[in-house]
Amino acid sequence: MLNKKGVTLAEVIVSIALISVVLVFMVKLLIELNNAETNTTYAKNNQITRVEILRTINNDLLSKTLVGISDSGSNEDLLVVTFQFSDNTSSVIRASSNTLEYTNSGGDIRAWDMDECSIYVNLADVYYTKDQNIFTMTIDIEVHTLNERNDKEFNNPIDDISISYIGNAQDFTANTLNCLGNDC
């Protein structure tokens, strides 16, 4: 009589196949966790920069009365948005593919290098509307971080720099165009 305490070749192959399936799922899970951590790091670092940019620009806009806006000097590689204020001062936003610079109404210049992301100035929009009472302005500068699914086809608007302003319609004396920027 034969000793039947051993394993057959078929049992070894089935065991290896089952272990391989489990390992494939484990590796896939580890890759997804790594991507999630990387995306969170990019978003956090860029969020701090965006908050600083928005705070700087909004502080200037809130302390002045906006009377005009223009995008003269803009081209496919550079966005230039100039705010004219009632006290005859102006502020300027300049954005290139990886740098955003803001010159406030006092002449102070702040510049930010947008690490691990790209600014798409050719997709930037400046919209404003004016009715009898209210003037509104929205600036949207598209930013693509290195996050997964954040590119020209799948823009994640959370990474964009969006500036809004609401003012008195009588204060705004600029031209009657309602759209500036490269996408108008």
Side-chain angles (χ1 to χ4, degrees):
M1 183 174 233
L2 292 172
N3 186 356
K4 296 199 177 206
K5 294 182 182 179
V7 292
T8 64
L9 182 60
E11 291 172 328
V12 171
I13 291 173
V14 168
S15 298
I16 290 173
L18 289 175
I19 290 172
S20 298
V21 168
V22 170
L23 286 176
V24 165
F25 285 114
M26 292 291 290
V27 167
K28 183 178 178 183
L29 177 67
L30 289 173
I31 289 171
E32 287 178 8
L33 288 173
N34 185 36
N35 286 343
E37 177 65 27
T38 302
N39 289 343
T40 302
T41 301
Y42 290 144
K44 184 178 81 176
N45 291 342
N46 289 313
Q47 179 113 14
I48 292 168
T49 302
R50 280 190 309 282
V51 167
E52 189 177 329
I53 291 167
L54 294 173
R55 182 180 50 99
T56 302
I57 295 170
N58 283 332
N59 284 344
D60 204 29
L61 288 174
L62 291 174
S63 67
K64 303 280 187 173
T65 302
L66 186 65
V67 296
I69 186 170
S70 71
D71 70 343
S72 59
S74 294
N75 58 45
E76 287 186 13
D77 300 322
L78 181 68
L79 175 69
V80 180
V81 178
T82 304
F83 303 119
Q84 294 92 26
F85 298 109
S86 61
D87 61 356
N88 294 323
T89 60
S90 61
S91 296
V92 180
I93 298 173
R94 284 183 189 82
S96 64
S97 63
N98 59 358
T99 303
L100 192 134
E101 179 182 291
Y102 182 69
T103 306
N104 69 13
S105 58
D108 300 326
I109 299 173
R110 294 278 317 264
W112 297 271
D113 290 326
M114 305 298 284
D115 297 328
E116 301 170 341
C117 66
S118 297
I119 301 172
Y120 284 85
V121 296
N122 59 332
L123 300 176
D125 295 316
V126 181
Y127 293 103
Y128 59 93
T129 59
K130 178 180 174 181
D131 65 17
Q132 294 177 353
N133 301 315
I134 297 174
F135 158 73
T136 60
M137 175 198 64
T138 303
I139 299 173
D140 183 37
I141 302 171
E142 198 166 305
V143 177
H144 298 166
T145 60
L146 299 177
N147 292 355
E148 181 180 356
R149 295 187 183 130
N150 191 6
D151 53 27
K152 285 186 178 181
E153 289 80 31
F154 303 103
N155 180 40
N156 183 354
I158 292 174
D159 295 328
D160 294 353
I161 297 171
S162 296
I163 301 163
S164 298
Y165 178 85
I166 299 174
N168 189 346
Q170 287 76 24
D171 294 334
F172 192 74
T173 58
N175 59 22
T176 58
L177 292 173
N178 63 357
C179 182
L180 302 170
N182 294 305
D183 199 32
C184 297

